[in-house]
Amino acid sequence: MHIRTLGPSGPQVSAIGLGCMGMTDFYSTGQDRAEAAATLHRAVEQGITLFDTADMYGPFTNEDLLGEVLAPHRDRVFLATKFGILRDPARPQHRGVSGHPDYVRQSVEGSLRRLRTDRIDLYYQHRIDPAVPVEDTVGALADLVADGKIRFIGLSEAATDTIRRAHAVHPVTAVQSEYSLWTRDPEETGVLATCAALGIGFVPYSPLGRGFLTGELKSPDDFAPDDYRRHSPRFQGENFLRNLHLVEALRQMAARRGVSASQLALAWVLAQGPHVVPIPGTKRRRWLDENVAAVALTLTAEERAGLEAAFPLRAAAGDRYPAESMGTVNR
Ligand SMILES: NC(=O)c1ccc[n+]([C@@H]2O[C@H](COP(=O)([O-])OP(=O)(O)OC[C@H]3O[C@@H](n4cnc5c(N)ncnc54)[C@H](OP(=O)(O)O)[C@@H]3O)[C@@H](O)[C@H]2O)c1
């Protein structure tokens, strides 16, 4: 497994991590606990060290799963989890946000317990709370570092100004945002470049476009009734069909190179800088093996240019989140 550093002086992790969210939540299509556990074990065997979860996945079931399965491997893995999105069982698509220092202190205890560990390697604020200055939230996180409960601090979906303000209070080790061929927003917003300039690792989530860029998804009707993607504008009706054309171009380029569409999509993300560590998500060993192999793929300048021409900025039809969730993205 290739190794990357989250920022020039940050921790070393595998060049790709494993996104675990779909194992217990959101992508209910094909969920199988035994296969998810086998995938986690296989990831450790393959040399993956960065495992990504959050308290709101489930909620809580995802951390429980990782805590149970990864406990025997604890010293070989780098556990990243997140706090700050509040869910309401009565309104499944609603998202509350909290970055209050008391909430931070309370949340970390639950995550430590569920992950069966005495320290979290990377603790992200999942969404910036517009009602609480980021300096206050990061101040609480800095206290947790001093207490030894967390090792490194991260932010998810934070704007450049927020990143700079947070980094002035305590070094930020990683920023996690959606980034892929069909979501090139971090290039436009300057987040990717800001992280490089400040020595912060950048962790693209949904690097496979929540499965769309794999070329395996054929119809919005193929999702289980409670699969999250039924609520995502990009996966609905006319948008889905228009986006299929984008993926066809990716499939053709991948075929010319003799790799899968997923591998080409991951290789493009990995080529965006040495500080970039994507966390493709899967709950199956089969896809894990395929994704790990993408780390060894080096793209030519011509291939990169070809992909960027096929996927210009804002190429995807439809927003990446429903309107209410888009509202929680810090811009
Ligand atoms: N910070 C945030 O706000 C945020 C938001 C979303 C996600 N995340 C994190 O980022 C991680 C990754 O993102 P993601 O899971 O949303 O999306 P993703 O990695 O772009 O795509 C995951 C989907 O692609 C499928 N897949 C993966 N590899 C494949 C392959 N080689 N061939 C065919 N299909 C393949 C998976 O199928 P199976 O499910 O069948 O394996 C799953 O449906 C998550 O697990 C989570 O930890 C963070």
Side-chain angles (χ1 to χ4, degrees), residues 18-22 27 29-30 52-53 57 82 85 126-127 156-157 176-177 204-212 214 216 229 260 262-263 279-284 286-288 290-291 321:
L18 178 60
C20 302
M21 179 183 84
Y27 309 147
T29 311
D52 192 82
T53 181
Y57 301 160
K82 318 181 194 80
I85 296 184
H126 209 158
R127 289 292 182 274
S156 175
E157 291 287 4
Q176 178 174 138
S177 303
Y205 78 75
S206 303
L208 296 169
R210 297 181 184 266
F212 208 96
T214 67
E216 295 286 327
R229 289 167 287 196
S260 71
S262 310
Q263 289 173 324
I279 46 168
T282 183
K283 45 184 161 343
R284 299 164 212 265
R286 178 183 169 198
W287 298 147
L288 172 74
E290 189 175 311
N291 298 344
Y321 280 113

